[in-house]
């Protein structure tokens, strides 16, 4: 995948995700950010005021309706004069009821706008609400999708009415996604097919039901392969999932508008979602959502589906180990993407890798940038269509580590990189290996040239 290089990266608030390309090309809580002290009682009978407990009751009733399966109560908070809105939310309810969720509730976030009027006029404001949920047997912790509701109150004794639903934007500017893990497939698909894939699930639109059933055994096999690799080489006490959520979409436009709102260039992506109410919990990333483009080259055959599935699930496997600390430049892409590429292609000779021809061209100096023996940098990751070969170089770096130090040391180094602040990921990996970056690059460069001579 192509990761946008952000000037600021805050893992707990970003939905950029990590994924796979072929060719280079909440925490949360309640709060009121409005202009009015809505927690205080009105002093005049003409005053229209929205109190904190009204918002709380509205959100709690919505949670109860979803949990109990009461569709009428679920849609009752929405503007009944807006038939399209009510119909859309009835569809959301029906879709969510199909999801194997162990936990599900709505929680109050921030509020903006005029929530009080002293002259008897109605008020209108926006209220951000988190849909907190946990897929049963898959998510390590509850995660959240953020909505922005537009709410109106017509008079002092009128009920609150939700007149608009959209995705809430990130709390800080500069993020790759314009929304916080919105929309989920339940928000935008008319119906959802849920195909079991071992301990994982594959979500698809009704027209892709047959494809989902065909893909499910391969996703299950990919998960089993990745988990077997981890069981053999990873920390048995580390927080890793045993199942995954995979969604199938058609084309890049759909790929960029599921669990995020961003421009997509990947064939697939694993989107890390922060744990809800982290506190002192060491698990900062509670779960991931894998989205794969069925029009990509990988879906031409079973082998390709296995490859992209192993790659994306490898990202998801270690996501829960992320320290989720502030980083100026972010974790080194060659580590994150190289590890996923290695896990997916570890049993195949490098000469048979789909990117091998690019590797030979790179070493021979036939690409836009000549091979200089340096590991790919985040700053130049996508420069002059070098993305694909940079994936390969990350893969070859991991393969070199595995051959020289062993796979257990490889995994130990990658885990150290994930647990360190993003900017320190390379230093953490090389510390585990007991080698300086300069010495590593010198040895690795010779290995690369030997592989692609």
């Amino acid at each position: 995948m192509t990761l946008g290089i952000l000037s600021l990266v805050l893992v707990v608030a970003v939905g950029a995700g990590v994924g796979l390309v072929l060719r280079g090309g909440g925490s949360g809580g309640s709060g009121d950010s409005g202009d009015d002290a809505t927690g205080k009682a009105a002093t005049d009978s003409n005053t229209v005021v929205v109190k904190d407990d009204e918002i709380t009751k509205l959100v709690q009733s919505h949670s109860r309706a979803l949990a109990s399966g009461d569709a009428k109560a679920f849609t009752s908070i929405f503007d009944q004069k807006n038939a399209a809105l009510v119909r859309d939310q009835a569809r959301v309810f029906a879709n969510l009821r199909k999801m194997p969720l162990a936990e599900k509730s709505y929680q109050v976030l921030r509020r903006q706008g005029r929530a009080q009027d002293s002259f008897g006029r109605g008020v209108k404001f926006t209220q951000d609400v988190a849909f907190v949920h946990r897929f049963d047997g898959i998510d390590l912790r509850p995660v959240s999708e953020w909505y922005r509701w537009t709410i109106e109150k017509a008079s002092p004794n009128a009920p609150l009415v939700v007149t608009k639903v959209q995705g809430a934007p990130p709390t800080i500017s500069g993020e790759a996604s314009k929304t916080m893990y919105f929309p989920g497939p339940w928000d935008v698909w008319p119906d959802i097919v849920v195909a079991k894939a071992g301990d994982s699930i594959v979500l698809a639109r009704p027209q892709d039901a047959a494809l989902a059933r065909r893909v499910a055994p391969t996703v299950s096999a990919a998960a089993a392969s990745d988990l077997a690799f981890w069981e053999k080489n990873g920390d048995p006490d580390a927080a890793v999932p045993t199942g995954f959520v995979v969604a199938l979409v058609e084309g890049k436009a759909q790929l960029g508008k599921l669990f995020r709102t961003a421009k997509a260039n990947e064939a697939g992506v694993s989107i890390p979602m922060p744990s809800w109410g982290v506190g002192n919990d060491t698990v900062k990333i509670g779960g991931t959502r894998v989205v794969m483009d069925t029009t990509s080259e990988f879906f031409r055959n079973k082998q390709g589906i296995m490859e992209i599935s192993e790659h994306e699930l490898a990202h998801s496997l270690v996501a829960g180990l992320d320290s989720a600390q502030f980083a100026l430049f972010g974790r080194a892409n060659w580590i994150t993407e190289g590890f996923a590429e290695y896990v997916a292609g570890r049993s195949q000779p490098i000469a048979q890798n789909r990117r091998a021809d690019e590797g030979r061209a790179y070493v021979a100096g036939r690409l836009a940038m000549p091979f200089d023996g340096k590991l790919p940098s985040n700053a130049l990751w996508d420069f002059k269509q070098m993305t694909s070969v940079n994936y390969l170089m990350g893969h070859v770096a991991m393969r070199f580590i595995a051959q020289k130090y062993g796979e257990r040391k490889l995994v130990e180094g990658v885990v150290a990189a994930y647990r360190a602040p993003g900017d320190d990921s390379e230093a953490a990996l090389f510390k585990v290996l007991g080698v300086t970056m300069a010495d590593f690059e010198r040895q690795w460069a010779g290995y690369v040239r030997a592989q692609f001579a």
Side-chain angles (χ1 to χ4, degrees), residues 60-74 93 97 104:
Q60 288 178 344
S61 69
H62 205 52
S63 297
R64 288 193 300 270
L66 178 60
S68 65
D70 190 337
K72 185 175 181 179
F74 185 88
F93 174 86
R97 292 290 294 176
K104 51 193 175 188

Side-chain angles (χ1 to χ4, degrees), residues 15 118 161 320 353 438:
S118 301
V161 177
N353 187 280

Side-chain angles (χ1 to χ4, degrees), residues 36-38 40-51 54 114-123 153-158:
D36 305 296
T38 58
K40 297 180 180 180
T43 57
D44 190 306
S45 60
N46 290 324
T47 298
V48 179
V49 61
V50 178
K51 303 175 186 177
E54 286 184 87
R114 187 174 60 87
Q116 180 172 324
D117 185 89
S118 301
F119 300 97
R121 297 172 302 188
V123 295
K153 184 173 183 176
S155 62
N157 296 319

Side-chain angles (χ1 to χ4, degrees), residues 1 19-22 189 202-203 205 208 211 215 246-258 260 264-270 289-301 304-305 308-309 312:
M1 73 120 218
L20 183 64
V21 294
L22 281 171
W189 291 354
V202 176
L203 306 180
R205 299 172 302 166
D208 294 325
L211 176 60
V215 167
V246 177
L248 304 180
V249 297
E250 186 177 358
K252 298 295 183 288
Q254 291 183 20
L255 185 66
K257 294 181 180 177
L258 203 63
R260 58 178 178 166
N265 296 308
E266 315 96 337
V269 63
S270 170
R289 301 294 178 258
V290 172
V291 189
M292 299 192 298
D293 176 10
T294 61
T295 67
S296 74
E297 182 178 329
F298 291 99
F299 275 76
R300 293 178 181 175
N301 53 51
I305 297 172
I308 190 174
S309 297
E312 299 305 341

Side-chain angles (χ1 to χ4, degrees), residues 91-429:
R91 183 197 66 229
V92 171
F93 174 86
N95 283 339
L96 284 175
R97 292 290 294 176
K98 293 182 177 182
M99 298 299 101
L101 300 175
E103 299 179 41
K104 51 193 175 188
S105 67
Y106 294 87
Q107 303 291 335
V108 176
L109 293 171
R110 58 184 176 176
R111 181 159 60 251
Q112 293 181 320
R114 187 174 60 87
Q116 180 172 324
D117 185 89
S118 301
F119 300 97
R121 297 172 302 188
V123 295
K124 180 179 180 179
F125 58 95
T126 62
Q127 174 69 56
D128 289 354
V129 176
F131 173 48
V132 180
H133 57 285
R134 179 172 64 84
F135 274 85
D136 192 18
I138 293 177
D139 292 330
L140 298 171
R141 301 289 189 274
V143 299
S144 61
E145 172 192 11
W146 292 15
Y147 292 98
R148 173 158 289 181
W149 288 352
T150 298
I151 299 179
E152 298 184 22
K153 184 173 183 176
S155 62
N157 296 319
L160 299 180
V161 177
V162 179
T163 59
K164 185 177 181 180
V165 177
Q166 58 192 123
T171 54
I172 59 176
S173 61
E175 298 298 349
S177 177
K178 296 179 181 179
T179 52
M180 295 293 284
Y181 313 103
F182 172 94
W186 40 83
D187 298 304
V188 291
W189 291 354
D191 195 1
I192 299 181
V193 172
V194 183
K196 285 286 293 179
D199 291 331
S200 303
I201 59 171
V202 176
L203 306 180
R205 299 172 302 166
Q207 58 265 45
D208 294 325
L211 176 60
R213 288 191 288 269
R214 290 199 306 271
V215 167
T218 304
V219 169
S220 179
S225 175
D226 286 8
L227 289 166
F229 173 80
W230 179 265
E231 185 176 357
K232 180 181 177 182
N233 302 293
D235 180 354
D237 297 323
V240 296
T242 57
F244 308 91
V245 176
V246 177
L248 304 180
V249 297
E250 186 177 358
K252 298 295 183 288
Q254 291 183 20
L255 185 66
K257 294 181 180 177
L258 203 63
F259 302 113
R260 58 178 178 166
T261 306
K263 183 178 180 180
N265 296 308
E266 315 96 337
V269 63
S270 170
I271 301 172
M273 298 182 69
S275 302
W276 173 260
V278 174
N280 295 323
D281 194 341
T282 58
V283 179
K284 308 300 183 184
I285 302 299
T288 65
R289 301 294 178 258
V290 172
V291 189
M292 299 192 298
D293 176 10
T294 61
T295 67
S296 74
E297 182 178 329
F298 291 99
F299 275 76
R300 293 178 181 175
N301 53 51
K302 184 176 180 180
Q303 179 182 347
I305 297 172
M306 183 70 173
E307 182 180 347
I308 190 174
S309 297
E310 284 187 295
H311 177 108
E312 299 305 341
L313 299 189
H315 281 309
S316 295
L317 182 67
V318 294
L321 307 177
D322 198 325
S323 64
Q325 297 186 53
F326 174 83
L328 185 61
F329 299 106
R331 186 171 296 103
N333 291 346
W334 72 265
I335 295 177
T336 56
E337 298 301 343
F339 176 71
E341 285 283 272
Y342 175 79
V343 172
R346 65 189 186 278
S347 61
Q348 180 188 58
I350 199 68
Q352 296 178 18
N353 187 280
R354 67 174 66 238
R355 307 179 199 268
D357 287 344
E358 291 174 275
R360 285 185 281 270
Y362 186 35
V363 170
R366 297 196 301 271
L367 297 188
M369 295 176 62
F371 178 62
D372 60 2
K374 302 295 184 182
L375 290 161
S377 70
N378 282 15
L380 297 176
W381 187 258
D382 296 320
F383 183 69
K384 291 187 176 181
Q385 297 184 325
M386 292 291 291
T387 312
S388 184
V389 79
N390 284 336
Y391 270 73
L392 178 63
M393 292 300 104
H395 179 176
V396 176
M398 293 296 156
R399 189 169 288 238
F400 173 68
I401 293 171
Q403 291 183 11
K404 183 175 177 61
Y405 301 93
E407 285 188 329
R408 286 191 177 184
K409 187 63 70 173
L410 163 64
V411 173
E412 183 183 348
V414 170
V415 169
Y418 267 79
R419 286 177 169 164
D423 296 337
D424 299 329
S425 57
E426 289 175 313
L429 172 62

